[in-house]
Amino acid sequence: MAAVDPSQLDLNEKGTREKLSLWDRRSDALAPLTERQTDSILEIQAAAENLPIPTELPIEDLCSLTSRSISVPLTVTVPASTEDILLQGFKSLGMEDERIETAQQFFSWFSKLQSQMDQDEGAKCRQTRDFLGGFQEQCDAILNDVNTALQHLESLQKQYLFVSMKTGTLHEACEQLLKEQSELVDLAESIQQKLSYFNELENINTKLNSSTLSVNSEGFVPMLAKLDDCIEYVSSHPNFKDCPVYLAKFKQCLSKAMHLMKTYTVNTLQNLTNQLTKRDPSGLPNADNAFTLFYVRFRASAPKVRTLIEQIEQRSEKIPEYQQLLNEIHQCYLDQREQLLSPSITSTITDLTSQYNRDHCALVRSGCAFMVHVCQDEHQLYNEFFTKPTAKLDELLEKLCLSLYDVLRPLIIHAIHLETLSELCGILKNEMLEDHVQNNLEQLGAFATLVQQMLEDVQERLVYRTHMYIQSDIIGYNPAPGDLAYPDKLEMMEKIAQSLKEEQKKLPTLDSSFSDIQLEDPDSKSVIKSGASEAPTTRLQATISPADLHGMWYPTVRRTLVCLSKLYRCIDRTVFQGLSQEALSACIQSSLKAADAIMKNKTQIDGQLFLIKHLLILREQIAPFHADFAIKEISLDLKKTRDAAFKILNPKTVPRFFRLNSHNAILEFLLEGTPEIKEHYIDSKKEVDRHLKSSCEHFIQQQTKLFVGKLEDLLTKVAALKTMASQGGPKYNLSQQPWAQPAKINDIVATTYKTLKTKLPATLQSMSLYLANKDTEFILFKPVRNNIQQVFQKLHAMLQEEYSEEDLQIIACPSVEQINLLLSVNK
């Protein structure tokens, strides 16, 4: 402490303070503070100014403080150990022997103490500085070593880059040389490959000109492939030198090869044909063996040329010359087959014609079956030689099938029976087209053309013969006496059924259906039974009523329905509609004539029930035909033309010929005289319904008149008398009228009631005999019963109004309940 120079300390302190003042000066501060740091310092400073005086401060120091700065009460007492504390402090500072009596001594002592404290604090900093300085010297040494190492590494990197660059240049040069070498090799190979196509010309020419070359040899097909490749290559590179010359030479080679293939194939096929034609077919057991031989020999020879033909077919799509060669081989093959088959097919068809001379259906079936086998066998044989189809084969088969058509067509156009023609339609349409052709359309395409043409001929003939049949056998039918023997025929069949029923009861061991079998008509299976909805009845009759048997129908009705049933599946729907309309119209007219004849020969009710029954049969039997029986007819109406012609021929119109206005007579004739085209529909089914309705209405009216006609006349007279009286005529007393006296009315009522009792059962019996259907009988008789009941109700009302009780007893009119009971008993 004594060794420190005070002046030096003052200088150091002054310098330190000057440096401190530079830290936070306003401009160019050595350690500038941010606003936040400045605010923090100010807050710390403000807090430090208000700190309380420490309680440990000696009591002697309190007197030096101003009263303003004392923040503790003056009553604070100095601890008892204060002197000890101060003594210990002075001892620690080495000042236990010095005394401070004046302020000057105190300040001097304080200055020394402060200098000593500053020196102690600075010693630590200097020590730290010296320590850090040693570290800095070590770091500088290390840095120098690192810089030296970096310099050596940089030199090594430069040397490495130089060597690497030289090595890469060498590699690039080597790769370039290898690339050029590869390009030269590829170029040489490419030139060699291109030249190989041209060099093959000599080899191919040598092979083709060789006398030992055969199309069946192993090297022929590869030579063809090489020749095709050469032609394709030369054709695709026309810019090569001498390309047209080489192409022409290759084409010549191709022509030679194709000529060899054609010659071999044609000779093979012709030799087969010659070998088969030289054999005597008559020496064979039958024609079937001849056909078998034709196919067996060709199938055996097919492998010889199939491989060659496959090569031609594979190249035919790309090279036109091969396609032409294939067409020539096709033609040769088909010519040889036609040469072989035509005589045999003609002979076979002739034999079939002789065998089935009287059976056209069997002839058509056998002939078509024969041609089906021929077509199938020809397609299978063709597939043995070729893999691609050709239209020429179907042309050949159509030509072969035409021989059958030429034989069958004259027979078809001369056929007159509808059964034969309809059966022919079924054979051609169902058996041939649907069964055979649809299952094998590819092989039977030519046969389908023949069958379709033949079917059209048969249908055309069938339509013509049907029209003639309608004219001759339906419209022009003259009924025999037995055809009009109604109700005798029905009564006779009823008696037969009754006797069979009785015999069946006597022989219980017999089958219960025996009587039904005896009454069954063999032809009725194809026609639906009339009145099929008939409920079981207690009336003794067979399961099938005599009126419902097919053989008991009027012949024209039976013929019409049989004709329609045969036509339905044989001809087109539109044609069937026209013919059905014509047939039904003719059948209705024929039935009307027959009904009139029966009315003349028998009774009116027989004719009416005959007509109703057959109209019901027609309506029920045509229902299963899913066809529209309406046709459209177009007619030309010349009424306006006729009126205009009469008008222009009128002498008064002659001056108007030369008028130049709208009243010119010639112009009016052209405008007003145009004929009209009218369309109207004819519906046979509605015509049947209309005639049926009219017949039922006539039957109802006739029966009503038969039973209560006299009562209706009486009521009509009474109504007329009442009308006259209501319109101002003379008053009347009905009982005083001569025709309305109680006795007269009693006669009328008695006669009517007697007629009901006697004739009503006969009428119901006739209805049951003809109609044979309880529902139909009930529906038809219900209006008659209602009319009878209404007439008696009106009669009772009139009697109650006009007559006295005494007169009513004289009249003795049956009550409504009695009439209802009579009608119900006979129901």
Side-chain angles (χ1 to χ4, degrees):
M1 293 289 294
V4 178
D5 189 1
S7 60
Q8 185 66 30
L9 291 174
D10 293 338
L11 291 174
N12 290 338
E13 182 180 359
K14 185 178 180 181
T16 301
R17 290 175 179 176
E18 289 178 356
K19 290 180 179 180
L20 289 174
S21 64
L22 297 176
W23 278 25
D24 57 350
R25 63 183 177 182
R26 294 185 180 275
S27 60
D28 298 331
L30 295 179
L33 299 177
T34 61
E35 292 182 359
R36 185 175 180 183
Q37 293 171 345
T38 305
D39 294 340
S40 299
I41 293 173
L42 293 176
E43 290 178 0
I44 294 172
Q45 183 179 359
E49 289 179 354
N50 297 325
L51 288 176
I53 296 174
T55 57
E56 297 84 0
L57 191 65
I59 193 62
E60 290 85 358
D61 293 337
L62 295 176
C63 61
S64 64
L65 298 175
T66 62
S67 61
R68 179 178 56 83
S69 61
I70 296 175
S71 59
V72 296
L74 297 177
T75 59
V76 176
T77 60
V78 178
S81 61
T82 300
E83 292 181 357
D84 296 335
I85 293 173
L86 291 175
L87 183 59
Q88 291 177 1
F90 279 114
K91 284 182 179 182
S92 64
L93 295 174
M95 297 175 62
E96 65 274 6
D97 295 335
E98 295 185 8
R99 294 179 63 81
I100 299 174
E101 296 178 351
T102 63
Q104 183 65 32
Q105 291 177 348
F106 174 76
F107 284 122
S108 176
W109 170 79
F110 183 76
S111 177
K112 291 179 182 180
L113 180 62
Q114 187 174 8
S115 298
Q116 184 65 31
M117 293 174 63
D118 292 339
Q119 187 176 0
D120 293 341
E121 292 179 358
K124 295 180 181 180
C125 292
R126 284 190 296 274
Q127 185 180 1
T128 303
R129 182 192 64 189
D130 295 339
F131 184 74
L132 293 176
F135 276 112
Q136 184 176 5
E137 290 176 358
Q138 293 179 2
C139 288
D140 291 339
I142 293 172
L143 182 61
N144 291 331
D145 294 340
V146 170
N147 290 333
T148 303
L150 289 176
Q151 291 176 358
H152 287 298
L153 289 174
E154 185 177 0
S155 176
L156 288 175
Q157 185 179 11
K158 290 181 180 179
Q159 294 175 5
Y160 171 77
L161 291 176
F162 177 75
V163 174
S164 177
M165 182 178 65
K166 291 293 186 181
T167 305
T169 304
L170 179 61
H171 279 293
E172 290 178 358
C174 293
E175 290 177 357
Q176 182 66 28
L177 291 175
L178 291 174
K179 183 179 180 182
E180 291 177 357
Q181 181 184 4
S182 300
E183 290 178 354
L184 291 175
V185 171
D186 293 341
L187 180 61
E189 292 179 354
S190 176
I191 293 173
Q192 182 63 31
Q193 190 267 338
K194 294 176 182 178
L195 286 175
S196 64
Y197 292 100
F198 296 91
N199 294 333
E200 285 291 334
L201 177 62
E202 185 176 355
N203 297 331
I204 294 174
N205 262 327
T206 302
K207 291 180 180 179
L208 290 175
N209 294 326
S210 175
S211 59
T212 60
L213 179 66
S214 172
V215 294
N216 290 327
S217 62
E218 296 181 356
F220 186 77
V221 173
M223 183 198 68
L224 281 181
K226 192 64 179 178
L227 181 58
D228 295 338
D229 294 339
C230 293
I231 292 175
E232 182 180 2
Y233 184 81
V234 174
S235 300
S236 61
H237 297 84
N239 54 341
F240 286 0
K241 185 179 180 180
D242 296 337
C243 181
V245 177
Y246 277 90
L247 182 60
K249 292 181 180 180
F250 280 124
K251 292 286 187 180
Q252 291 176 358
C253 295
L254 179 62
S255 299
K256 292 180 182 179
M258 292 172 59
H259 178 70
L260 291 175
M261 291 187 289
K262 177 182 177 181
T263 302
Y264 176 79
T265 306
V266 171
N267 289 337
T268 302
L269 295 174
Q270 289 179 350
N271 290 334
L272 283 172
T273 305
N274 293 332
Q275 292 174 7
L276 293 173
T277 52
K278 287 179 182 179
R279 300 177 65 93
D280 186 10
S282 60
L284 297 173
N286 51 44
D288 292 339
N289 293 334
F291 275 104
T292 303
L293 181 62
F294 291 164
Y295 290 106
V296 170
R297 291 296 299 273
F298 266 79
R299 283 196 176 94
S301 301
K304 298 179 182 179
V305 295
R306 181 178 174 86
T307 304
L308 199 62
I309 292 175
E310 286 181 354
Q311 298 297 324
I312 298 173
E313 290 177 333
Q314 292 174 2
R315 295 166 171 79
S316 61
E317 296 180 357
K318 298 180 180 180
I319 303 176
E321 289 81 358
Y322 280 104
Q323 183 63 48
Q324 182 179 359
L325 174 61
L326 182 62
N327 293 336
E328 294 176 357
I329 294 176
H330 280 162
Q331 190 62 45
C332 176
Y333 169 82
L334 297 175
D335 291 342
Q336 301 306 314
R337 295 304 301 170
E338 183 180 4
Q339 182 179 350
L340 280 175
L341 294 177
S342 293
S344 300
I345 290 176
T346 303
S347 175
T348 302
I349 293 175
T350 303
D351 294 341
L352 291 175
T353 305
S354 302
Q355 182 179 358
Y356 302 105
N357 187 22
R358 297 182 178 276
D359 191 352
H360 295 168
C361 297
L363 175 60
V364 171
R365 184 179 285 110
S366 301
C368 290
F370 170 70
M371 292 311 303
V372 166
H373 289 299
V374 170
C375 292
Q376 291 177 343
D377 293 341
E378 282 302 310
H379 271 278
Q380 294 173 2
L381 182 62
Y382 176 85
N383 293 331
E384 295 287 337
F385 285 86
F386 305 94
T387 59
K388 292 185 177 181
T390 178
K392 294 181 179 180
L393 178 60
D394 287 337
E395 294 177 1
L396 170 64
L397 295 177
E398 288 180 6
K399 188 183 298 183
L400 296 177
C401 291
L402 191 62
S403 58
L404 177 63
Y405 179 75
D406 293 339
V407 173
L408 295 180
R409 190 174 186 278
L411 301 177
I412 292 172
I413 62 177
H414 290 91
I416 59 175
H417 298 292
L418 296 182
E419 293 80 3
T420 302
L421 292 172
S422 62
E423 188 175 356
L424 289 177
C425 283
I427 293 172
L428 296 174
K429 186 176 181 180
N430 300 326
E431 297 181 14
M432 300 304 160
L433 289 179
E434 294 182 1
D435 295 343
H436 291 291
V437 175
Q438 288 187 0
N439 296 329
N440 194 2
L441 184 60
E442 182 180 358
Q443 295 184 357
L444 299 179
F447 176 72
T449 304
L450 163 72
V451 173
Q452 187 64 38
Q453 187 174 358
M454 197 182 306
L455 178 61
E456 292 175 357
D457 293 339
V458 174
Q459 289 175 340
E460 183 179 356
R461 179 64 178 175
L462 179 60
V463 171
Y464 171 74
R465 288 304 307 167
T466 302
H467 179 73
M468 298 302 297
Y469 181 80
I470 293 172
Q471 296 294 327
S472 60
D473 290 20
I474 297 178
I475 296 178
Y477 176 72
N478 292 321
D483 296 331
L484 301 176
Y486 286 90
D488 300 338
K489 296 167 62 174
L490 300 178
E491 292 174 350
M492 180 183 65
M493 294 300 297
E494 187 74 13
K495 292 178 181 179
I496 295 174
Q498 181 69 20
S499 62
L500 290 175
K501 196 73 174 180
E502 293 176 355
E503 292 179 3
Q504 183 181 358
K505 290 181 179 180
K506 295 178 181 179
L507 301 174
T509 58
L510 294 178
D511 189 1
S512 61
S513 61
F514 177 78
S515 60
D516 300 340
I517 296 174
Q518 298 300 320
L519 286 175
E520 191 78 44
D521 188 357
D523 296 332
S524 63
K525 295 181 181 179
S526 60
V527 184
I528 303 173
K529 186 175 75 69
S530 175
S533 62
E534 179 181 0
T537 63
T538 57
R539 178 171 170 261
L540 295 177
Q541 62 177 18
T543 304
I544 299 178
S545 171
D548 289 330
L549 289 176
H550 190 189
M552 300 304 295
W553 295 352
Y554 189 63
T556 56
V557 174
R558 182 173 62 252
R559 292 174 183 178
T560 300
L561 295 176
V562 171
C563 178
L564 292 180
S565 65
K566 293 183 180 298
L567 291 176
Y568 181 63
R569 300 187 182 279
C570 295
I571 59 178
D572 295 335
R573 185 64 56 86
T574 55
V575 180
F576 174 77
Q577 291 173 359
L579 286 177
S580 62
Q581 192 277 331
E582 181 180 357
L584 288 176
S585 298
C587 181
I588 292 172
Q589 297 301 321
S590 176
S591 300
L592 292 173
K593 292 181 181 178
D596 293 339
I598 292 173
M599 290 180 188
K600 293 178 181 179
N601 297 332
K602 295 294 182 179
T603 62
Q604 188 176 8
I605 188 174
D606 289 323
Q608 290 175 341
L609 291 175
F610 167 85
L611 181 60
I612 292 172
K613 177 60 180 179
H614 284 86
L615 290 177
L616 284 173
I617 292 172
L618 282 178
R619 189 179 69 172
E620 292 175 0
Q621 297 300 321
I622 64 177
F625 298 113
H626 300 287
D628 187 5
F629 289 90
I631 61 171
K632 180 174 68 173
E633 290 189 353
I634 300 176
S635 60
L636 191 64
D637 188 3
L638 300 176
K639 183 179 180 181
K640 290 186 177 181
T641 305
R642 182 192 61 188
D643 296 341
F646 286 145
K647 188 175 181 181
I648 198 174
L649 293 176
N650 191 349
K652 296 181 180 180
T653 61
V654 175
R656 295 165 52 193
F657 284 170
F658 304 101
R659 291 184 181 180
L660 300 178
N661 53 21
S662 59
H663 297 288
N664 184 280
I666 299 176
L667 183 62
E668 289 180 354
F669 174 76
L670 295 176
L671 295 177
E672 298 177 2
T674 304
E676 292 183 351
I677 298 177
K678 292 186 176 181
E679 297 180 357
H680 58 280
Y681 289 87
I682 300 177
D683 193 337
S684 301
K685 187 178 291 186
K686 291 183 178 180
E687 187 177 358
V688 172
D689 293 338
R690 182 173 59 83
H691 283 282
L692 179 60
K693 181 181 178 182
S694 176
S695 301
C696 292
E697 290 176 350
H698 290 164
F699 174 79
I700 293 168
Q701 293 175 0
Q702 189 269 337
Q703 293 301 310
T704 302
K705 185 177 181 180
L706 173 65
F707 292 125
V708 292
K710 295 181 178 180
L711 291 181
E712 286 183 337
D713 295 339
L714 175 63
L715 294 174
T716 302
K717 292 180 180 180
V718 173
L721 194 62
K722 288 183 177 181
T723 303
M724 291 174 59
S726 63
Q727 293 178 355
K731 294 183 180 181
Y732 69 94
N733 186 357
L734 188 60
S735 61
Q736 300 299 324
Q737 299 293 329
W739 50 271
Q741 294 179 359
K744 294 285 186 181
I745 295 178
N746 176 262
D747 294 339
I748 296 174
V749 171
T751 303
T752 301
Y753 191 74
K754 183 179 180 181
T755 302
L756 282 173
K757 291 186 69 175
T758 55
K759 294 186 177 181
L760 182 58
T763 300
L764 295 177
Q765 180 67 22
S766 297
M767 291 178 63
S768 177
L769 183 64
Y770 279 94
L771 301 180
N773 189 301
K774 290 297 181 181
D775 295 334
T776 306
E777 297 170 20
F778 176 78
I779 293 172
L780 182 60
F781 187 71
K782 182 178 179 180
V784 178
R785 185 174 65 250
N786 293 339
N787 291 340
I788 295 173
Q789 292 173 348
Q790 291 176 5
V791 169
F792 273 95
Q793 289 174 0
K794 292 179 181 179
L795 178 62
H796 276 281
M798 185 270 293
L799 294 177
Q800 293 293 335
E801 180 182 354
E802 300 292 342
Y803 292 90
S804 61
E805 291 293 334
E806 190 174 326
D807 295 336
L808 292 177
Q809 292 179 359
I810 297 173
I811 294 172
C813 180
S815 64
V816 177
E817 289 76 11
Q818 291 176 329
I819 298 299
N820 292 337
L821 181 61
L822 178 62
L823 294 175
S824 63
V825 169
N826 292 280
K827 186 184 299 185

